[in-house]
Amino acid sequence: MSNIKIHKKEDREEMRKACRLARDVLRFIEPYVKENTTTDELNTLCHNFIVEHGAKSAILNYKGFPTSICTSVNHVVCHGIPGDYRLKSGDIINIDVTVILNGWFGDTSKTFIVGKATKLVENLVKITEEALYVGIHAARPGGYFGDIGKAIQKFVDKYGYSIVRDYCGHGIGRVFHDEPLIVHYDIGKKGAQILPGMFFTIEPMINVGSYKTKVIKDGWSAVTVDKSLSAQFEHTIAVTEDSIEILTI
């Protein structure tokens, strides 16, 4: 608990600015998420937008990551590297954006559907986004971080999907990845208490098949072991004195 940062009220406005810029990147890129666009083209567009707005990508060169956004297509769970892949109708793609603005990190992601989707795809994306908000609603001042994963798992289990266990949400602020780690499934423990002044992400990754993942040869892209589809949504939130504020909305 002592490692979880409690930020001042005035810090919240600086975080809002960074988080709203990250949100704006996703809004900007949405019209370009279409058939025949390469993931590298999406990366270039996002990179230029971030720089033009006086910020920089937190992902670019982070531990050697080579691009400014993550693009995770279909069975890629997270950390997909943009390249020459051309989007096809029916694909799903998660675009994960983290910006640094005036020293503060704004982190968000969204799964987009390309062209015409099957019912399976539509349902997975819909339930994953709903799972994010279930987790957010479970995060209350005075509650516990374990409440988040418990609520998400109770919701997701109704649909027969699985929740990725190898990756989780995290504290954020002036540091990209900070304490606490926020798991998105029920671990049977309360965990640390959620207190005013905390900033953190909630970012469930939901699979149609097995929850198990593996990292492929590029050293970054995590995929489902059974090649089943995976979707993810993410928001950065702030804990206020009596509620939760979604900073990336």
Side-chain angles (χ1 to χ4, degrees):
M1 185 69 192
S2 60
N3 293 328
I4 303 175
K5 292 183 177 65
I6 303 295
H7 297 88
K8 299 175 182 178
K9 287 183 180 179
E10 51 266 34
D11 293 338
R12 203 178 305 153
E13 181 55 33
E14 293 303 312
M15 272 296 283
R16 283 192 193 104
K17 293 174 184 176
C19 287
R20 287 171 181 168
L21 177 56
R23 172 204 65 188
D24 290 346
V25 176
L26 291 182
R27 290 180 177 178
F28 160 77
I29 202 62
E30 185 165 9
Y32 300 96
V33 182
K34 58 186 179 181
E35 292 179 71
N36 293 318
T37 302
T38 68
T39 52
D40 185 59
E41 288 169 344
L42 296 176
N43 174 69
T44 299
L45 287 165
C46 288
H47 175 83
N48 291 342
F49 184 91
I50 292 167
V51 172
E52 288 165 4
H53 286 78
K56 61 182 180 179
S57 167
I59 298 171
L60 181 61
N61 297 322
Y62 177 74
K63 296 183 178 180
F65 194 81
T67 57
S68 293
I69 60 172
C70 298
T71 52
S72 302
V73 181
N74 295 334
H75 71 290
V76 181
V77 176
C78 60
H79 306 155
I81 301 174
D84 59 6
Y85 179 80
R86 291 192 179 275
L87 297 175
K88 301 189 298 291
S89 181
D91 283 344
I92 56 174
I93 176 172
N94 176 269
I95 298 179
D96 193 343
V97 174
T98 309
V99 302
I100 310 172
L101 182 65
N102 300 324
W104 294 90
F105 290 74
D107 192 1
T108 188
S109 83
K110 177 178 179 178
T111 296
F112 299 88
I113 297 173
V114 181
K116 186 176 181 180
T118 64
K119 197 67 177 177
L120 173 67
V121 166
E122 288 179 348
N123 286 341
L124 173 64
V125 173
K126 177 176 179 288
I127 296 307
T128 303
E129 185 171 18
E130 290 178 3
L132 168 61
Y133 286 99
V134 166
I136 290 172
H137 289 314
R140 301 183 180 93
Y144 295 87
F145 283 102
D147 299 338
I148 298 170
K150 183 176 181 180
I152 292 174
Q153 181 154 14
K154 183 179 179 180
F155 173 75
V156 170
D157 281 354
K158 294 187 297 183
Y159 299 94
Y161 297 137
S162 66
I163 303 167
V164 171
R165 301 187 177 195
D166 294 329
Y167 303 93
C168 57
H170 52 87
I172 194 168
R174 286 189 173 275
V175 177
F176 190 175
H177 294 110
D178 209 348
E179 295 293 331
L181 300 180
I182 295 111
V183 298
H184 304 111
Y185 60 97
D186 187 2
I187 58 173
K189 298 179 181 179
K190 286 186 175 181
Q193 192 171 26
I194 300 171
L195 298 176
M198 292 180 175
F199 302 151
F200 55 89
T201 71
I202 300 176
E203 46 185 298
M205 303 165 207
I206 309 300
N207 299 346
V208 170
S210 170
Y211 67 83
K212 294 181 179 179
T213 70
K214 64 178 181 180
V215 177
I216 62 174
K217 290 181 180 180
D218 66 18
W220 284 100
S221 303
V223 302
T224 55
V225 295
D226 57 5
K227 297 187 178 180
S228 62
L229 292 173
S230 182
Q232 180 192 16
F233 286 82
E234 174 186 13
H235 277 312
T236 297
I237 66 176
V239 186
T240 68
E241 288 65 33
D242 55 6
S243 65
I244 293 292
E245 179 183 349
I246 305 174
L247 298 172
T248 43
I249 201 167

